Amino acid sequence: MKQCVKMIVGNWKMNGLASGLSEARAVSEALTAEPAAATVGLCPPTTLLDRMARALDGGPVQVGGQDCHAEASGAFTGSVSAAMLADAGARLVILGHSERRAGCGETDADVAAKVGAALQAGLEPIVCVGETLAEHEAGEAVAVVTRQIEGSLPEIPAGKDLAVAYEPVWAIGSGLTPTSDQIAEVHAAIRAALSRRLGEAATAVPILYGGSVNPANAADLLTIDGVDGALVGGASLKAEDFMAIIRAAGPGVAADAQG
Ligand code: PEP
């Protein structure tokens, strides 16, 4: 049975000009010298995707998009399809981020259609779910993320890679995080929802935690039961901070030392 590999992914959001590529290169160089236990990805703005993919080609850092359209091509001014992301060198794509669910009115059905398009294009979708502060305070986190998982996943063909990120909306960019028990409870609920949906294949799906992960709290967050990695916003913009988070996932094995 395929087991899930730890994953640390940076979401640059709408940050980064060409000058910022040096941070991505620094992460790649540091990981080449000092391999990590986790798969590492960086999701820059679309304008940098192709350049970042070229700059990091052949190295240990995967590159990804932050959204895609559900259609492969057509009259959708301003949008980018999954096939276009893949063509630009992306391996990953973040979908259903709360900033898109709230700011762009994306529904679970919209997210499911995008996940289908991403899989079709050969990308690994990172599907984001998470409750608002009001839902958290009402004790509804498990119900909300379970509903989002059920609604945001299309049929997943066997053998396709998929990741999920639990990102409480109120923890993003706020410096706040849920307690370890709360995170463990929600991750267990996500794992159960994935198992109902995907059967045994669910064991291969990493469930990342996201929301104010930083070098100081990463080691604690990454050892919570059921946490298979992190989706990192602000702290992924600087190589030094991002590397500190990656190191918190533990040391890896150098490619030339693997049997
Ligand atoms: C995010 O937006 O995906 C995120 C986790 O942001 P931050 O780490 O800045 O809270």
Side-chain angles (χ1 to χ4, degrees):
M1 197 187 315
K2 200 173 162 195
Q3 292 300 314
C4 76
V5 176
K6 269 205 165 61
M7 202 173 179
I8 310 283
V9 178
N11 172 14
W12 279 15
K13 311 194 189 195
M14 198 173 73
N15 297 294
L17 301 173
S19 55
L21 289 173
S22 58
E23 299 295 330
R25 274 194 213 94
V27 172
S28 178
E29 283 161 17
L31 280 174
T32 302
E34 186 192 341
T39 297
V40 174
L42 277 174
C43 300
T46 311
T47 48
L48 286 184
L49 196 54
D50 175 70
R51 277 176 285 178
M52 189 182 284
R54 286 171 198 266
L56 306 187
D57 188 33
V61 180
Q62 297 184 348
V63 171
Q66 299 175 11
D67 179 47
C68 69
H69 198 281
E71 298 294 331
S73 63
F76 302 104
T77 302
S79 295
V80 174
S81 73
M84 290 168 181
L85 295 178
D87 188 48
R91 296 269 309 276
L92 314 167
V93 61
I94 297 168
L95 293 173
H97 192 284
S98 62
E99 286 155 15
R100 296 204 58 87
R101 288 180 185 263
C104 306
E106 283 187 12
T107 63
D108 288 342
D110 294 331
V111 177
K114 291 178 178 205
V115 173
L119 293 170
Q120 178 85 29
L123 298 175
E124 176 172 356
I126 302 168
V127 181
C128 301
V129 295
E131 81 286 0
T132 63
L133 182 58
E135 289 163 342
H136 176 74
E137 288 176 346
E140 293 170 357
V142 163
V144 169
V145 301
T146 300
R147 192 181 64 230
Q148 287 176 327
I149 289 288
E150 286 165 356
S152 303
L153 296 183
E155 284 305 312
I156 310 282
K160 293 284 187 183
D161 288 330
L162 170 77
V164 168
Y166 168 49
E167 297 208 306
V169 180
W170 53 276
I172 293 177
S174 63
L176 303 171
T177 54
T179 65
S180 300
D181 286 351
Q182 287 167 340
I183 293 174
E185 183 189 17
V186 175
H187 277 238
I190 292 172
R191 180 67 65 203
L194 288 171
S195 296
R196 286 193 298 276
R197 190 61 188 272
L198 306 175
E200 275 199 359
T203 56
V205 179
I207 305 174
L208 318 184
Y209 168 77
S212 296
V213 179
N214 60 46
N217 63 17
D220 287 342
L221 290 167
L222 289 168
T223 48
I224 295 171
D225 225 24
V227 172
D228 304 314
L231 182 55
V232 185
S236 69
L237 290 167
K238 289 275 165 245
E240 194 183 335
D241 291 344
F242 194 45
M243 277 307 300
I245 293 168
I246 294 166
R247 282 188 196 105
V253 180
D256 56 9
Q258 286 171 348

